[in-house]
Amino acid sequence: MPTVILTGLPVPGSALAGELRSLGFEVHPAATPSEAAAALALVPADQRVAVVDGEFVGHVHALRLALTDPRFDACSVTGALAVLPAARAALDRAAENDVYAPVGDGPYPDRLAAAVEAAGTPVHRPELGTLVAAVPATTDERRAATAAVAAVDDEAVRLRTAVKSRDGFFTTFFISPYSRYIARWCARRGLTPNQVTTASLITALIAAGCAATGDRWGYVASGVLLLVSFVLDCTDGQLARYSLQYSTMGAWLDATFDRAKEYSFYAGLALGAARNGDDVWALALGAMILMTCRHVVDFAFNEANHDATANTSPTAALSDKLDSVGWTVWVRRMIILPIGERWAMIAVLIAFTTPRIVFYALLVGCAFGALYTTAGRVLRSLTRKAERTDRAARALADLTDTGPLGELIARGLRRLPHYTAPAFMVSGVGSAAMLLFAAQEWSFGSSVPIFFAGLYVLTAGAAVAQPLKAPLDWLLPPVFRAAEYTTVLILAAKADVPGALPAAFGLVAAVAYHHYDTVYRIRGGTGAPPHWLVRTIGGHEGRVLLITVLASVLASRAVDFPVALTALAVFVALVVLVESIRFWVSSGAPAVHDEGEPA
């Protein structure tokens, strides 16, 4: 059980000790700094420990934010400080030093927080907004603080801040007004965000199964269940913020289950259409490719500019100006078809139309959203005066997913005295386009695509031979994703044999999981997956070359091509999933840093 050291003399009538116990803490009083230091020494080093001033006046939720958030090694509000084991040594030193040489006249926990931070441990200070956290020095100040606490309903604040401050129109106005109450209901019954996330996945898989029946009742049921799954998907994050239940496992589940749900539903729609004699596997795979590439555009651009200096752009200024006009904010969020709007559109269309129409709508809507966001990011990059950092360049290099062939070429080119990266970046994009053209124009089994795949390998390696710090270098990861995924789609379609497109769907899904896993590791601050993993599965350029070679070698026995794609998909999925699960359940995995609206 976590421990709190309640310092100072008891305040008559104060409910502070009871409030701390309600938060799950064992309370130990300590009248003086020396007693507090002695009490700290008795607390096991592997437990959370907090120090709270006995004269603290404030909302229980303010204490909850400061003392129970598992994402930060040290966290503090006025009059309260909590640390995890990673920051325990710094707290112990601060407590020992304060006994002999107190710094300042502020509350004891505030002095400790300042000392911990000065020693090099970051101390998170949550935004409280209307919540109160104070240590009054006089009776009048205490009376005023108590009145301020009574004036604000901290439960209402807690519910409001459980909802993201920035979300889509459909989620904000059609889901969050009631899903936050579902989150509170779950919290009061001891349910965890991971359990709700799993329930959301199971519901989506049942929806996919209903869609796979190909019957109208199945389509209607699948639409309803898809919306229920989305409500649960919103609820799990709100439950995490409401109860501060963040975890490394939750980070992994949240990062991967959304894609698993959506792509499983695409597969269910394709299976249902096939029952009615309509083959839409190519459309399903196209929709998955488009969504994944659009996400990679967002990820790569954000990583490229995560910590850029002199981050100015006329395009960004125009965007900020538009945001000042309320209705434009919602229009701009809706036209990119975020997950809420997308799932709502799918649910309505599948209930009344067919899978083919659903995929046509998805492709048109997502293509427009992708063009809109990509064009805006290109304009910002061309007009922005900024210097990209080494960290950003490293993140972009990791997102390219370059394998051993590309690395070999990059190492050789680095030795050239007049090597220019931008020219090779352009040629890499050009070779990707030529590869897709060759795969489309030449018959299945032709050796011509192998030549262009080899050229793609050369230019892809050349493009990453120098740090990716040019204004448009963030385009490389999405271009490589589009080249690889679309090559698989075209070759599977050209094979024109049963099972080729479903096998291609499985392969792209397995590879896409690897790319999403890479993104979320980088965003969590732990870096990309180990390089042996990328080398083992060949890198994007190695997989492209292998698939084009397989298409040529198996031309005379095209029925074996789906078997080869399936085998490759199973291999990639097994290697990637085993390493991903190992990482996300380890102690080194990042917890989700997903803040709600400031209170």
Side-chain angles (χ1 to χ4, degrees):
M1 176 180 288
T3 300
V4 62
I5 310 300
L6 191 60
T7 64
L9 297 176
V11 176
S14 174
L16 181 58
E19 292 171 346
L20 292 171
R21 292 188 182 96
S22 73
L23 295 177
F25 285 90
E26 182 179 343
V27 180
H28 292 279
T32 65
S34 59
E35 289 183 14
L40 279 172
L42 298 176
V43 178
D46 61 347
Q47 291 184 8
R48 174 191 296 271
V49 64
V51 180
V52 177
D53 194 296
E55 297 188 2
F56 176 90
V57 175
H59 289 99
V60 175
H61 191 49
L63 286 173
R64 181 181 291 107
L65 291 172
L67 306 184
T68 67
D69 197 323
R71 299 170 298 168
F72 309 102
D73 291 335
C75 195
S76 174
V77 296
T78 300
L81 167 69
V83 301
L84 293 178
R88 179 60 185 279
L91 175 62
D92 289 344
R93 286 194 299 270
E96 292 173 3
N97 293 336
D98 193 85
V99 172
Y100 303 103
V103 179
D105 298 323
Y108 178 64
D110 293 9
R111 300 202 305 267
L112 294 182
V116 167
E117 196 162 37
T121 300
V123 177
H124 175 70
R125 291 176 171 82
E127 294 184 46
L128 297 181
T130 56
L131 295 178
V132 176
V135 180
T138 65
T139 302
D140 289 341
E141 289 181 0
R142 187 173 187 83
R143 188 179 300 111
T146 302
V149 170
V152 176
D153 183 352
D154 72 336
E155 177 61 20
V157 172
R158 188 182 177 190
L159 269 176
R160 176 170 58 84
T161 55
V163 178
K164 285 183 181 179
S165 59
R166 182 180 177 86
D167 222 329
F169 179 86
F170 180 77
T171 305
T172 299
F173 294 102
F174 292 90
I175 304 297
S176 293
Y178 57 87
S179 62
R180 68 184 74 184
Y181 295 101
I182 300 175
R184 181 170 69 180
W185 183 90
C186 293
R188 290 177 175 177
R189 283 152 183 81
L191 297 177
T192 67
N194 292 350
Q195 291 171 333
V196 177
T197 303
T198 303
S200 175
L201 175 65
I202 293 172
T203 305
L205 293 178
I206 296 174
C210 291
T213 64
D215 297 324
R216 178 54 52 192
W217 73 264
Y219 289 156
V220 173
S222 70
V224 173
L225 289 172
L226 191 64
L227 291 178
V228 172
S229 175
F230 183 65
V231 171
L232 293 174
D233 184 54
C234 296
T235 300
D236 65 358
Q238 292 165 0
L239 174 58
R241 286 183 289 274
Y242 180 84
S243 56
L244 298 182
Q245 294 184 75
Y246 301 98
S247 67
T248 55
M249 177 63 75
W252 176 57
L253 297 178
D254 188 64
T256 57
F257 277 15
D258 277 352
R259 303 286 76 77
K261 289 181 286 189
E262 188 164 8
Y263 299 156
S264 296
F265 195 78
Y266 291 176
L269 290 178
L271 289 170
R275 285 180 174 270
N276 295 313
D278 190 12
D279 187 352
V280 296
W281 276 106
L283 296 177
L285 180 50
M288 182 167 67
I289 291 171
L290 185 56
M291 282 306 310
T292 304
C293 291
R294 194 182 91 172
H295 287 148
V296 176
V297 166
D298 296 338
F299 295 144
F301 177 81
N302 290 335
E303 287 303 322
N305 299 282
H306 180 268
D307 48 8
T309 57
N311 194 355
T312 59
S313 165
T315 308
L318 175 60
S319 178
D320 293 339
K321 186 175 181 180
L322 288 174
D323 283 345
S324 65
V325 183
W327 64 270
T328 66
V329 175
W330 296 117
V331 171
R332 292 168 67 208
R333 292 184 191 178
M334 290 174 65
I335 63 176
I336 64 173
L337 209 63
I339 187 169
E341 279 74 0
R342 195 164 66 249
W343 283 29
M345 181 186 73
I346 293 172
V348 172
L349 287 178
I350 195 54
F352 296 101
T353 63
T354 65
R356 180 173 289 272
I357 293 176
V358 171
F359 284 125
Y360 283 153
L362 271 175
L363 288 168
V364 171
C366 292
F368 178 81
L371 289 174
Y372 172 79
T373 55
T374 303
R377 283 160 170 71
V378 168
L379 288 174
R380 291 190 184 200
S381 300
L382 292 175
T383 58
R384 173 175 282 152
K385 298 178 181 178
E387 293 184 8
R388 191 158 293 154
T389 64
D390 291 336
R391 176 209 169 276
R394 179 67 260 168
L396 287 182
D398 291 332
L399 289 175
T400 61
D401 195 34
T402 303
L405 294 177
E407 287 181 334
L408 182 64
I409 294 164
R411 281 196 298 268
L413 287 172
R414 290 189 189 108
R415 300 189 179 95
L416 297 180
H418 302 294
Y419 169 71
T420 55
F424 281 113
M425 192 277 282
V426 173
S427 66
V429 174
S431 68
M434 287 188 288
L435 168 65
L436 298 181
F437 176 80
Q440 175 63 39
E441 292 302 314
W442 270 266
S443 61
F444 182 78
S446 171
S447 60
V448 174
I450 297 179
F451 168 79
F452 285 101
L455 180 63
Y456 174 77
V457 170
L458 289 171
T459 54
V464 297
Q466 293 293 332
L468 300 179
K469 294 186 175 183
L472 296 179
D473 278 352
W474 59 268
L475 282 171
L476 279 176
V479 166
F480 290 158
R481 296 298 79 76
E484 179 184 358
Y485 300 163
T486 310
T487 298
V488 176
L489 168 59
I490 292 173
L491 292 177
K494 299 278 281 189
D496 195 25
V497 293
L501 283 168
F505 188 95
L507 175 58
V508 172
V511 175
Y513 176 87
H514 162 61
H515 292 142
Y516 278 109
D517 186 52
T518 300
V519 164
Y520 285 105
R521 292 199 200 196
I522 293 173
R523 287 176 64 176
T526 57
H531 212 61
W532 68 260
L533 175 66
V534 179
R535 289 173 176 167
T536 300
I537 60 176
H540 71 96
E541 79 288 356
R543 290 188 296 270
V544 165
L545 183 59
L546 174 61
I547 292 166
T548 53
V549 169
L550 286 173
S552 179
V553 170
L554 299 176
S556 60
R557 294 177 299 154
V559 292
D560 291 338
F561 189 56
V563 177
L565 291 180
T566 302
L568 183 57
V570 170
F571 172 75
V572 171
L574 285 176
V575 173
V576 169
L577 280 172
V578 168
E579 161 54 25
S580 179
I581 294 172
R582 181 210 63 79
F583 170 77
W584 286 102
V585 301
S586 70
S587 59
V592 178
H593 284 249
D594 185 12
E595 291 294 341
E597 181 178 81

